[in-house]
Amino acid sequence: VEASIPEPQRAAWKKHEAAPFKTKDQFEAATIKHIETTLARSLFNCDERAAYGGTALAFRDRLVIDWNKTQQRQTFADQKRVYYLSLEFLMGRALDNAMLNVGMKDVAKDGLSDLGFRMEDVISQERDAALGNGGLGRLAACFLDSMASLNYPAWGYGLRYRYGIFKQEIVDGYQVEVPDYWLDFNPWEFPRHDVTVDIQFYGNVRKYMDDSGKQVTVWENGEIVQAVAYDVPIPGYKTATTNNLRLWSSKAASGEFDFQKFNSGEYEQSVNDQQRAETISAVLYPNDNLDRGKELRLKQQYFWCAASLYDIVRRFKKSKKAWKEFPNQVAIQLNDTHPTLAIPELQRILVDIEGLDWDDAWSIVQATFGYTNHTVMAEALEKWSVPLMQHLLPRHLAIIYDINLNFLQYVERNFPKDREMLSRVSIIEESQPKMVRMAFLAVIGSHKVNGVAELHSDLIKTTIFKDFVQIYGPDKFTNVTNGITPRRWLHQANPRLSELIASKLGGEDYLKDLTLLNKLEAFVDDKAFRKEFQEIKYANKVRLAKYIKDTLDVSVNPASLFDIQVKRMHEYKRQQLNIFGVIHRYLTIKSMSAAEKKKLTPRVSIFGGKAAPGYWMAKTIIHLINQVGKIVNNDPDVGDLLKVVFLEDYNVSKAEIICPASDISEHISTAGTEASGTSNMKFVLNGGLIIGTCDGANIEITREIGEQNIFLFGNLAEDVEDLRHAHFYSKFELDTNLVKVFDTIKSGRFGDAGQFSALINGIVDHGDYYLVSDDFNSYIETHKLIDEAYANQDEWLTKCITSVARMGFFTSDRCIDEYAESIWNLEPLTPKSNGV
Ligand code: KOT
């Protein structure tokens, strides 16, 4: 308030108030001004990168104006906000999205052309903001887009990693990781050097009585690291609402480095301190669906939770409201268990610092948090060792013990006869060393827990959280099926399809209300529409074929069936099942007569995805895919009938080229392992069909689009446990076709067989945990059905169009409305027409 300009001087401000560009001329002026003054370039040395920089800065100016007004509006409105805490935000590029949301893409296109540049070239200069591993991080990014587009007062909180997910290079068929230093030019972030928070680690806990006889607990003598805020504007689609994503960067508390130490000759120590502090936000952990329990990761989590909560509490305290109002002003959503330390941290702030009673504080905490679970895979469930937590966060561990004690007493009162239950549900696992089970803490500290697709939400209630359903009743657990933003994943990735749809639906309203897509079904027999739909798919395949030629020097025929599996490499996602299927197809082709070959549908099998650097099996699968490609693509017996390619460095901007170009995409996880999957939605929305297991969101996609429009195969989740058991305790006969595939690999046809023995042994000798053999026959039979179906292009096209028309449910806008209604109790705050 003190920084507000006094009334008499406001006229001068208003006269010169920054105004957004509106016309092409104004866009050109703004862009040139930035190129010449901000970037210090000129007519004579303006390359595409500089043109990108100027354009981005011109759009950034526009966003900032809306952003400031949005923050002002949200502050004055004095209503509840939601804070989305996620260690990952897989944003991809921002310029195209900004142009689309602001509604000025055409203006910019014409303007850039006047200045001598092509829009696509300028857009492709931008580096992806890749602060995430895969689905979980991309979901957070889609949610930010939807929250802004629906005018919800919402902030994201994350870490500003200096290095995002590594860049993947393929060298001799092997994955090589290259660091992703993405910050050399990032026009989208605003450093807020005035918004800093001191974060403590280590130290000790001391209790004493104050003068009034009240017990006080202090956490002291720790090491301090400073968190600095960097803000990123998040524009909504066709609305003035521009929300904030706040990313924290770590730095030595003493500033640059400790001059006292420096002057007294301890140069190295002072530089070391600085580096230790900066290490916290240095790099994203590159593991998807895996918890490795490293101390630095725990530091990242606490650093980010503590800074975010300090910020949220500081904002609340400005309102001078009573503490019991906190949950009416603040909802905090935990994106998986990574931010679970926010629970004991808020309890600590309320009890130790603000002096609330434990029980009052705990009611506030529980009413504030919601927790989203994204996985049931045992190796991904976070546990922290008690000794580590004792060392790093002694006060938090004590609070967790108290939370646990209260909880276990409650359980004991309500289930007095069930002694076993206490050890099953305890936050502390009595192992050696003891471990803190973060998922249990998250459940206990939240008022709602949700899974991300129906099957998954049912599974968590019957497996990992079964006892908690007993304890709290079923209403604490709910489902919010994932979704994707149609702005990026339809309009931006597939402008021609988007335009065709708009021409049939009478405008672009469907991008705000995706259920309107159902009106497309009326055109399923419309000849001209069908033809254009098909032409667009073909053009998208041509674009991908060109990309494959340019990057891998492999020629693929765009008339072939494009069969795509792009996602993180993981045994449970079963890229190995896919490549074994490809080898089977290769063997089949090799045994075919010329006449038989003539009848076969030509295929391109396209793979892409990163393996965690320490995940050997996943890396082996990448290697096998590349080795198979090398043989198959150069076999004259095969020709165009089969090509196998592995696309390097799959990321968000590449997904925007890949998703519109599929005929079939593969979502073939062992049933019950893929919580939702979201690329399944991207592919279908772009007019591709899918082959999939009855897993995650595939099930609801099937319900929406109809069984006749999807290729489902494989065992069901309910049978997985028995099958796994049978692999060990009954006679386990491998699928005969799979044995042939293994024999071929073992013969050395795809290079040194020793390289692949662990992959094969995992199935043959070690119980085939992911049921590759059990599902192999039904997988290859289903691929035959796909071949046949594709041969009838007319029916195929009908399936594709019908599916697109029925995908309205899978927009992330629907997700956000569901969260707002059933978890956050949050209302939108719609700007007036003047944007204020
Ligand atoms: C777990 C630990 C570390 C990093 C990532 C995870 C993770 C990722 N857990 N689940 N996911 C994926 O989340 C997506 C969004 O909900 C789901 O669609 C996908 O099935 C999960 O595997």
Side-chain angles (χ1 to χ4, degrees):
V1 184
E2 316 83 61
S4 169
I5 301 299
E7 197 55 55
Q9 281 76 42
R10 289 189 183 181
W13 273 80
K14 297 232 160 100
K15 189 169 149 203
H16 299 292
E17 207 166 47
F21 68 79
K22 291 204 174 73
T23 64
K24 184 182 72 152
D25 251 25
Q26 289 167 346
F27 163 76
E28 289 174 21
T31 301
I32 290 175
K33 180 176 162 276
H34 277 301
I35 292 173
E36 293 191 343
T37 62
T38 318
L39 304 174
R41 299 287 192 103
S42 77
L43 205 51
F44 302 104
N45 64 353
C46 181
D47 53 12
E48 277 165 355
R49 232 178 118 60
Y52 158 70
T55 309
L57 290 164
F59 272 91
R60 182 178 91 160
D61 288 348
R62 279 196 64 118
L63 296 192
V64 170
I65 295 167
D66 285 342
W67 191 30
N68 288 336
K69 287 183 185 160
T70 302
Q71 297 316 314
Q72 233 178 71
R73 179 169 63 247
Q74 291 180 1
T75 304
F76 286 128
D78 186 35
Q79 68 168 67
K80 192 169 184 175
R81 281 194 180 120
V82 64
Y83 297 99
Y84 197 82
L85 267 57
S86 180
L87 255 195
E88 305 190 10
F89 288 95
L90 194 45
M91 304 295 284
R93 290 178 178 150
L95 175 59
D96 203 359
N97 180 246
M99 294 193 295
L100 168 63
N101 284 12
V102 159
M104 284 275 160
K105 196 167 169 178
D106 291 339
V107 169
K109 188 178 171 156
D110 293 348
L112 280 170
S113 153
D114 285 351
L115 303 182
F117 294 95
R118 277 179 24 169
M119 179 68 113
E120 305 81 73
D121 301 334
V122 170
I123 286 174
S124 65
Q125 293 303 310
E126 182 171 355
R127 317 198 35 172
D128 278 30
L131 306 185
N133 276 288
L136 173 140
R138 184 53 231 177
L139 187 75
C142 283
F143 281 5
L144 291 180
D145 184 79
S146 286
M147 290 189 289
S149 298
L150 296 169
N151 300 305
Y152 285 106
W155 282 44
Y157 274 108
L159 274 184
R160 179 182 178 268
Y161 302 108
R162 212 160 355 117
Y163 296 94
I165 189 68
F166 62 85
K167 191 174 173 320
Q168 178 193 53
E169 286 178 6
I170 302 294
V171 179
D172 297 334
Y174 295 96
Q175 167 175 298
V176 173
E177 300 92 18
V178 178
D180 164 53
Y181 183 77
W182 67 293
L183 289 169
D184 50 350
F185 178 66
N186 178 12
W188 306 107
E189 66 172 13
F190 289 79
R192 304 283 194 201
H193 295 292
D194 53 330
V195 181
T196 62
V197 187
D198 283 349
I199 308 296
Q200 180 168 235
F201 294 102
Y202 310 105
N204 56 273
V205 176
R206 181 167 60 92
K207 292 189 190 240
Y208 65 92
M209 294 281 188
D210 72 3
D211 298 343
S212 64
K214 201 177 165 192
Q215 164 135 312
V216 181
T217 310
V218 287
W219 173 28
E220 58 193 10
N221 301 321
E223 179 182 312
I224 306 290
V225 176
Q226 202 174 63
V228 183
Y230 285 72
D231 288 348
V232 181
I234 307 293
Y237 174 67
K238 288 193 179 164
T239 170
T241 299
T242 302
N243 283 334
N244 193 23
L245 169 60
R246 178 158 284 179
L247 301 176
W248 298 103
S249 182
S250 61
K251 141 177 177 190
S254 50
E256 293 301 286
F257 49 77
D258 190 331
F259 265 103
Q260 221 140 44
K261 282 185 184 165
F262 188 76
N263 290 336
S264 63
E266 296 172 61
Y267 310 114
E268 280 186 25
Q269 186 57 44
S270 75
V271 173
N272 284 349
D273 288 352
Q274 183 202 1
Q275 278 181 353
R276 261 162 58 84
E278 289 180 4
T279 300
I280 293 176
S281 61
V283 56
L284 165 78
Y285 273 86
N287 302 313
D288 190 84
N289 268 294
L290 177 71
D291 169 48
R292 304 255 288 177
K294 292 272 190 259
E295 173 169 354
L296 181 61
R297 169 83 168 185
L298 185 59
K299 274 190 154 181
Q300 288 186 334
Q301 293 186 348
Y302 180 64
F303 171 82
W304 149 67
C305 288
S308 305
L309 271 186
Y310 185 91
D311 209 41
I312 292 165
V313 167
R314 169 167 66 190
R315 201 166 297 122
F316 172 76
K317 284 177 79 167
K318 277 199 201 156
S319 76
K320 304 262 181 353
K321 288 184 169 34
W323 281 109
K324 67 173 176 19
E325 290 297 316
F326 191 80
N328 301 325
Q329 293 289 304
V330 174
I332 302 178
Q333 192 64 28
L334 306 175
N335 198 22
D336 215 280
T337 53
H338 317 150
T340 303
L341 284 169
I343 288 170
E345 174 67 1
L346 181 57
Q347 183 72 3
R348 184 184 75 87
I349 293 172
L350 295 177
V351 173
D352 291 2
I353 301 175
E354 301 297 337
L356 273 71
D357 286 346
W358 178 276
D359 291 344
D360 293 341
W362 186 243
S363 315
I364 291 170
V365 168
Q366 277 188 320
T368 300
F369 289 103
Y371 155 50
T372 305
N373 173 281
H374 295 266
T375 183
V376 291
M377 303 254 295
E379 64 268 34
L381 296 179
E382 283 192 299
K383 292 176 187 175
W384 291 108
S385 99
V386 166
L388 172 60
M389 207 177 269
Q390 172 65 42
H391 181 55
L392 191 69
L393 301 165
R395 181 59 187 137
H396 295 78
L397 183 65
I399 289 173
I400 290 169
Y401 268 97
D402 286 345
I403 293 169
N404 199 35
L405 183 67
N406 288 330
F407 170 68
L408 292 179
Q409 283 172 350
Y410 173 84
V411 174
E412 199 168 27
R413 281 198 299 278
N414 288 278
F415 300 87
K417 294 194 195 79
D418 196 346
R419 302 294 309 171
E420 298 259 284
M421 164 122 51
L422 293 182
S423 70
R424 283 202 309 269
V425 300
S426 173
I427 298 172
I428 307 299
E429 180 182 276
E430 297 293 326
S431 45
Q432 195 52 254
K434 291 183 182 164
M435 303 293 269
V436 183
R437 298 156 159 164
M438 301 307 274
F440 290 4
L441 178 56
V443 170
I444 294 164
S446 304
H447 66 286
K448 281 274 173 179
V449 177
N450 75 286
V452 290
E454 272 176 24
L455 174 70
H456 170 66
S457 296
D458 288 344
L459 278 176
I460 60 177
K461 285 198 282 185
T462 53
T463 59
I464 49 177
F465 301 141
K466 189 168 181 221
D467 290 317
F468 293 88
V469 175
Q470 290 274 302
I471 294 165
Y472 291 113
D475 291 352
K476 181 160 182 166
F477 296 85
T478 184
N479 172 249
V480 183
T481 298
N482 282 167
I484 56 172
T485 170
R487 273 76 65 178
R488 181 175 296 258
W489 296 112
L490 181 52
H491 190 294
Q492 185 176 311
N494 203 342
R496 275 188 68 189
L497 181 59
S498 178
E499 206 180 307
L500 174 64
I501 294 170
S503 76
K504 291 297 169 197
L505 302 188
E508 290 183 334
D509 287 355
Y510 72 96
L511 289 171
K512 283 223 114 157
D513 175 6
L514 202 65
T515 60
L516 294 175
L517 277 182
N518 64 13
K519 299 206 160 58
L520 271 189
E521 270 199 67
F523 299 94
V524 75
D525 295 322
D526 178 322
K527 277 231 169 78
F529 173 75
R530 291 174 67 88
K531 181 159 174 280
E532 197 165 344
F533 189 100
Q534 197 167 30
E535 276 173 14
I536 291 168
K537 176 59 76 181
Y538 191 77
N540 288 328
K541 289 168 70 179
V542 169
R543 177 167 74 151
L544 181 58
K546 179 172 185 310
Y547 179 78
I548 291 170
K549 178 73 190 163
D550 292 348
T551 53
L552 300 170
D553 198 26
V554 176
S555 301
V556 301
N557 180 354
S560 316
L561 189 159
F562 277 23
D563 172 350
I564 306 183
Q565 186 176 19
V566 284
K567 50 184 85 237
R568 285 299 289 253
M569 302 298 298
H570 210 298
E571 286 163 280
Y572 87 81
K573 294 177 188 282
R574 296 201 297 188
Q575 286 94 351
Q576 72 277 42
L577 174 61
N578 187 342
I579 193 63
F580 295 153
V582 169
I583 295 171
H584 174 265
R585 178 170 288 258
Y586 174 58
L587 297 177
T588 309
I589 292 170
K590 294 286 279 183
S591 71
M592 276 178 162
S593 67
E596 285 171 321
K597 281 187 187 173
K598 259 202 135 134
K599 282 187 263 162
L600 189 66
T601 307
R603 281 229 181 190
V604 185
S605 273
I606 298 166
F607 294 82
K610 294 173 187 177
Y615 191 172
W616 290 104
M617 199 65 97
K619 289 183 151 178
T620 301
I621 298 169
I622 293 178
H623 186 218
L624 178 59
I625 294 167
N626 283 307
Q627 291 298 105
V628 171
K630 222 162 75 182
I631 300 302
V632 170
N633 298 344
N634 297 302
D635 188 332
D637 290 350
V638 176
D640 266 359
L641 287 180
L642 184 59
K643 295 280 180 217
V644 181
V645 296
F646 189 94
L647 300 173
E648 226 171 34
D649 196 39
Y650 176 60
N651 62 14
V652 171
S653 55
K654 283 172 193 148
E656 290 168 25
I657 300 171
I658 295 165
C659 292
S662 79
D663 294 304
I664 278 282
S665 64
E666 308 233 1
H667 310 276
I668 58 176
S669 48
T670 311
T673 61
E674 189 72 277
S676 163
T678 41
S679 73
N680 40 9
M681 303 167 192
K682 293 166 199 169
F683 281 104
V684 180
L685 186 60
N686 281 283
L689 302 183
I690 63 188
I691 175 170
T693 44
C694 293
D695 202 14
N698 290 353
I699 295 170
E700 288 146 277
I701 292 175
T702 307
R703 187 190 305 156
E704 292 294 312
I705 69 177
E707 291 194 284
Q708 69 284 10
N709 297 318
I710 187 166
F711 297 92
L712 292 177
F713 75 99
N715 284 285
L716 301 180
E718 61 208 48
D719 299 322
V720 168
E721 214 186 282
D722 287 349
L723 285 165
R724 281 180 180 157
H725 192 262
H727 292 173
F728 285 102
Y729 299 104
S730 345
K731 207 163 142 245
F732 174 33
E733 292 223 13
L734 287 182
D735 179 275
T736 49
N737 283 308
L738 188 58
V739 171
K740 286 183 199 152
V741 169
F742 289 169
D743 288 344
T744 312
I745 297 172
K746 286 193 225 163
S747 77
R749 181 93 68 107
F750 306 112
D752 179 8
Q755 304 254 12
F756 308 115
S757 55
L759 182 59
I760 294 174
N761 290 345
I763 295 165
V764 179
D765 300 328
H766 298 116
D768 189 14
Y769 189 75
Y770 296 102
L771 273 52
V772 172
S773 179
D774 303 84
D775 284 347
F776 195 66
N777 188 53
S778 114
Y779 180 66
I780 58 182
E781 288 302 318
T782 305
H783 268 300
K784 284 188 203 154
L785 295 179
I786 290 171
D787 284 335
E788 287 163 25
Y790 195 72
N792 186 338
Q793 278 290 297
D794 228 36
E795 272 180 31
W796 185 274
L797 184 57
T798 301
K799 288 181 198 291
C800 296
I801 294 171
T802 312
S803 300
V804 173
R806 297 178 182 176
M807 282 298 286
F809 180 75
F810 298 99
T811 168
S812 46
D813 294 348
R814 187 260 317 146
C815 306
I816 290 303
D817 278 331
E818 285 182 18
Y819 278 97
E821 160 96 24
S822 69
I823 300 177
W824 302 334
N825 190 23
L826 185 73
E827 297 291 332
L829 176 63
T830 309
K832 297 197 202 85
S833 58
N834 63 0
V836 180

